[in-house]
Amino acid sequence: MALKAEPTAVVGWGSLNPLGADANSTWDAVIAGRSGIQTLQTPWTEDLPVRLAGCVPTGALNSLPPLLRRRSDRCAQLALVAAREAWTMASSITTGLDPSRIAVVIGTGIGGLATMHEQHTQLSTGGPSRVNPLTVPMLIPDAAAGQVAIELGLLGGAHTPVSACASGAEALMLGQMLLNDDRADLVLAGGSEAPVNRLGLVGFAAMRALSSRNDAPDQASRPYGLGRDGFVLSEGAGVLALMRQQDTPPGADLGWLLASGSSSDAHHIVAPEPQGLQASRAIDEALRRAKVNPSDLCGVQAHATGTSLGDLAEARALRRSLGSAADHLPVYAPKGQLGHLLGGAGAVETILALQALRHGVLPGSLNADPLDPEVELAVTKQGPVQLSSDQGQRLLLKNAFGFGGHNISLVLAGNTPAQHG
């Protein structure tokens, strides 16, 4: 059967995260090598073993009306701000489009965790009468997608993939599928997460999944690096405006999603399949659908959480799928600077990958030096590297994986797609 994998143009993007309150300031911080991780100076962390995280800049949500902030979880608020930026950037294209042909796909790993924690505390200390009547619509995972559709008046469907830390990337895959299936003419797709609260930190710390370098936050997130002791919890959101190639006005594209691949480990509720067998299948599928060979790529943006199990499984998957190309392809691990945005990670990081393609520079991977000798990849541990354009087109592989064995891989292009294969 012939594959239906039409390239998808990115015509707008928006992001807020620990490194910046918008997409451009985030890129500037990434290239400057800054860290977005900080030690939390709040009383509720005093008895916790982990007291560091990545938080969006103070005031980043001030553009939202006070009533909206009281009636929505922080996860939805982050998505709204990112969606507004993407929508504004794409305004010259969206003007005149039928709202019933514009869809929203916002993934999240957990959703309204802060609301769940706050309202349970209210119930425990004040009784049932103290619980907010909007508790349920605030905490459900689809609240962010619904809020974005309400805010912008979009009627083409609001969808919410929930696939742990792969959710943001899966949203992009589903957005492309909606376009290719002619169910929408434009899709706002991305991911959002707001897990930095007492329940979030305690829950992940109890799993021993988090770094506890409380006194050295800028060194805590160490993807592929020796001495890593877990990932760093962060908050943030990313949203991309997607459009079919034939509908995209000349010069309006910021980058391209060529194709995606997905698989499931069917292995363990938390641990990845250690040899990366199924993660490799997702990579292979993405390359096959994009009609791209490993030698056509100019780089890789890894999922790389900074846990030994995850990093090594992904490194083995990349070696298996890329073959000899893995000897020299530069690999960038963004979580050394951003921390782990869970359901927001795939979308925020994809925007960074597309910016890397536009600028021709793959950022350095903070804290990856010295490199774990078991990671047989050309990680950008010494700083940014120039991306090759020998093929006339820059192509990047981007991975996003999640608890439960969710594997998503994307093939991205920096300019108008060429024919491969």
Side-chain angles (χ1 to χ4, degrees), residues 52 86 96 185 248 307 377:
L52 73 162
D185 295 329
T248 303
T307 63
L377 299 171

Side-chain angles (χ1 to χ4, degrees), residues 200-413:
L201 279 172
V202 168
F204 281 100
M207 297 169 59
R208 299 184 179 180
L210 299 182
S211 170
S212 58
R213 282 188 170 86
N214 298 312
D215 298 329
D218 60 336
Q219 301 173 32
S221 185
R222 308 181 66 81
Y224 293 144
L226 273 182
R228 60 186 180 267
D229 64 336
F231 66 82
V232 173
L233 208 58
S234 290
E235 63 176 1
V239 174
L240 296 86
L242 307 178
M243 184 171 248
R244 280 185 294 269
Q245 181 176 17
Q246 64 265 31
D247 298 332
T248 303
D253 57 294
L254 299 168
W256 295 83
L257 169 59
L258 296 190
S260 61
S262 66
S263 68
S264 51
D265 280 354
H267 172 72
H268 190 274
I269 192 170
V270 174
E273 190 284 311
Q275 300 306 314
L277 296 172
Q278 304 312 320
S280 176
R281 284 185 52 238
I283 296 169
D284 292 346
E285 182 185 355
L287 294 173
R288 179 172 60 89
R289 285 182 173 275
K291 300 179 181 177
V292 165
N293 296 312
S295 58
D296 297 325
L297 297 170
C298 65
V300 175
Q301 189 195 73
H303 181 67
T305 61
T307 63
S308 293
L309 290 177
D311 285 3
L312 294 181
E314 182 175 15
R316 290 164 184 151
L318 287 169
R319 291 296 309 189
R320 179 173 289 104
S321 292
L322 302 181
S324 60
D327 292 339
H328 57 81
L329 275 177
V331 177
Y332 167 51
K335 294 181 179 66
Q337 293 173 275
L338 284 166
H340 195 349
L341 285 71
L342 307 184
V348 171
E349 293 172 4
T350 294
I351 294 171
L352 288 179
L354 292 169
Q355 287 173 309
L357 289 167
R358 284 177 67 81
H359 292 281
V361 178
L362 197 62
S365 303
L366 191 65
N367 299 323
D369 192 16
L371 191 69
D372 183 340
E374 291 192 61
V375 176
E376 298 177 339
L377 299 171
V379 178
T380 57
K381 60 181 182 177
Q382 301 291 345
V385 300
Q386 296 294 316
L387 289 175
S388 168
S389 58
D390 292 345
Q391 308 293 332
Q393 183 181 34
R394 296 191 181 103
L395 302 169
L396 204 68
L397 173 72
K398 193 277 175 290
N399 287 335
F401 306 138
F403 280 172
H406 306 278
N407 307 310
I408 303 291
S409 294
L410 310 174
V411 177
L412 307 169

Side-chain angles (χ1 to χ4, degrees), residues 32 80 92 106-107 109 151 155 180 192 278 292 303 342 361:
L80 276 169
S92 63
I106 306 292
E151 168 83 1
L155 308 173
N180 285 344
S192 183
Q278 304 312 320
V292 165
H303 181 67
L342 307 184
V361 178

Side-chain angles (χ1 to χ4, degrees), residues 51-84:
R51 301 187 297 281
L52 73 162
C55 302
V56 302
T58 302
L61 300 176
N62 287 351
S63 62
L64 299 177
L67 179 61
L68 179 58
R69 276 187 276 166
R70 287 198 301 273
R71 302 180 66 170
S72 59
D73 187 87
R74 191 172 177 86
C75 177
Q77 295 170 21
L78 295 168
L80 276 169
V81 173
R84 281 180 172 182

Side-chain angles (χ1 to χ4, degrees), residues 127-215:
S129 65
R130 298 294 299 276
V131 174
N132 187 331
L134 294 178
T135 295
V136 171
M138 288 171 66
L139 69 83
I140 52 179
D142 64 326
Q147 288 277 16
V148 169
I150 293 168
E151 168 83 1
L152 301 175
L154 307 180
L155 308 173
H159 310 273
T160 305
V162 179
S163 48
C165 307
S167 301
E170 183 163 3
L172 299 177
M173 181 178 76
L174 294 179
Q176 185 177 52
M177 292 168 68
L178 289 173
L179 292 168
N180 285 344
D181 201 32
D182 195 31
R183 294 176 184 268
D185 295 329
L186 187 133
V187 180
L188 288 182
S192 183
E193 203 76 72
V196 183
N197 53 64
R198 189 168 167 84
L199 180 58
L201 279 172
V202 168
F204 281 100
M207 297 169 59
R208 299 184 179 180
L210 299 182
S211 170
S212 58
R213 282 188 170 86
N214 298 312
D215 298 329

